Amino acid sequence: MSSLLSPKSVFTALAGLSVALASPVEPRQATETTSDSGAAVSTITGYAHPLSLTPLTTLGAEQTALSYDSPPTPITVPTRPAALDAAPAKATGIQDSVAAGDKALDATASVCTSIGGVYPTATVPNFCNPSALANAVDFLPARGNLPTATVTVGAVSNKLDCCVQCANIFNCVAWRFKPVYTQAPNAHLPGGFDPWGRGDCEAVYHTGNPDEEEADGVILVTTPRDETANLCPNGKVGEVLTGSDNGGSTNSSSHAASSWTNLYYNGWNEGPCAEPVAPFEGGEDAGKGDAANLCS
């Protein structure tokens, strides 16, 4: 096997990239209040799951492709030091707010409020943001010559945790959440499963050598190092999944624009070594939870 990354480089790359802590959160209920105009404010109950989104680090000059046995065995990214894991949990406050324009409403009108409270914040890579989820039905037939292997990670805590598990495996190109319990789709769970519930996780990882694959046409152009995550020593392979909308997705195209609605459907999603969305960016997502019950 070729040389692996040094522990120092891996630990730097995975700062904030621990297993997602987005376990189910107790519903918080906003207190019913009255605006200055006397309009009644609806009491809204729902879930909020604020996210802290961390950037990946680009491929280092010292990194070389990994070689795999036959059959392949996944190579996991070394864990972070215990001192980093002991960092205090972060919390994000989501304040009550009255919908714009309520001042003009009369005393009998009911207006919407967003959920209020302080919730634990899950830390996930930016490409795991619900807005980036493709929920694809299958892989592109044209990528059938890409050498890959699949590993199942059991008992992950939720769908976003599955994405984090993919980021904990070198050369992961795709992942899929397999919930332990499914039901008929309904208004609360339109995909027929609870994305915040437990399940198994399938992760597909790339086992080929990028130099050989470029010569053979499996990878047409090897992506430059400054566009490849350091979790991908065997190179970024490009798009491997069918489209994220319409016939190529398990998610209705009418819901594709809503990041938190994407979470409630299922299918295959991009890993860091395929064609992930904005992997080197970071930020915050305030969280929304049940879109049917919370204000937009």
Side-chain angles (χ1 to χ4, degrees):
M1 178 183 294
S2 302
S3 60
L4 295 175
L5 299 96
S6 67
K8 180 178 179 181
S9 65
V10 172
F11 296 154
T12 301
L14 293 182
L17 214 162
S18 60
V19 173
L21 300 177
S23 58
V25 177
E26 291 297 321
R28 305 293 180 93
Q29 190 171 52
T31 303
E32 185 170 330
T33 61
T34 303
S35 70
D36 293 340
S37 65
V41 178
S42 298
T43 299
I44 305 296
T45 300
Y47 292 90
H49 296 272
L51 300 177
S52 178
L53 305 169
T54 61
L56 299 181
T57 302
T58 56
L59 197 64
E62 78 286 357
Q63 291 184 247
T64 58
L66 303 177
S67 59
Y68 290 87
D69 297 330
S70 182
T73 300
I75 302 172
T76 55
V77 176
T79 56
R80 302 184 308 156
L84 290 179
D85 288 333
K90 180 180 179 181
T92 296
I94 301 177
Q95 303 300 319
D96 292 340
S97 63
V98 178
D102 70 296
K103 299 296 183 182
L105 298 177
D106 61 30
T108 62
S110 179
V111 296
C112 182
T113 67
S114 61
I115 206 68
V118 177
Y119 299 83
T121 299
T123 300
V124 299
N126 191 61
F127 76 91
C128 295
N129 191 323
S131 64
L133 303 184
N135 294 320
V137 175
D138 209 342
F139 288 69
L140 290 167
R143 302 311 306 273
N145 59 348
L146 183 71
T148 61
T150 303
V151 60
T152 298
V153 180
V156 297
S157 60
N158 56 76
K159 184 175 177 179
L160 289 184
D161 187 9
C162 183
C163 184
V164 174
Q165 293 298 328
C166 175
N168 284 334
I169 299 172
F170 281 117
N171 299 310
C172 185
V173 298
W175 59 274
R176 178 173 64 176
F177 180 59
K178 300 186 69 176
V180 295
Y181 176 74
T182 59
Q183 57 189 284
N186 56 69
H188 182 60
L189 300 174
F193 72 100
D194 180 4
W196 300 110
R198 292 188 176 276
D200 293 335
C201 180
E202 287 185 325
V204 177
Y205 56 99
H206 172 217
T207 61
N209 186 299
D211 295 331
E212 298 173 359
E213 290 171 334
E214 184 178 12
D216 295 339
V218 177
I219 299 178
L220 297 181
V221 178
T222 300
T223 306
R225 283 179 174 265
D226 61 359
E227 298 177 17
T228 303
N230 67 345
L231 305 178
C232 314
N234 289 34
K236 178 181 172 183
V237 304
E239 182 62 65
V240 297
L241 303 176
T242 54
S244 60
D245 294 321
N246 305 317
S249 172
T250 58
N251 183 4
S252 168
S253 60
S254 63
H255 295 117
S258 172
S259 65
W260 286 87
T261 300
N262 288 345
L263 193 68
Y264 285 80
Y265 291 85
N266 217 350
W268 287 102
N269 295 285
E270 298 283 356
C273 306
E275 196 66 49
V277 176
F280 306 116
E281 296 180 9
E284 304 287 334
D285 187 311
K288 295 193 69 172
D290 182 3
N293 292 327
L294 295 180
C295 299
S296 59

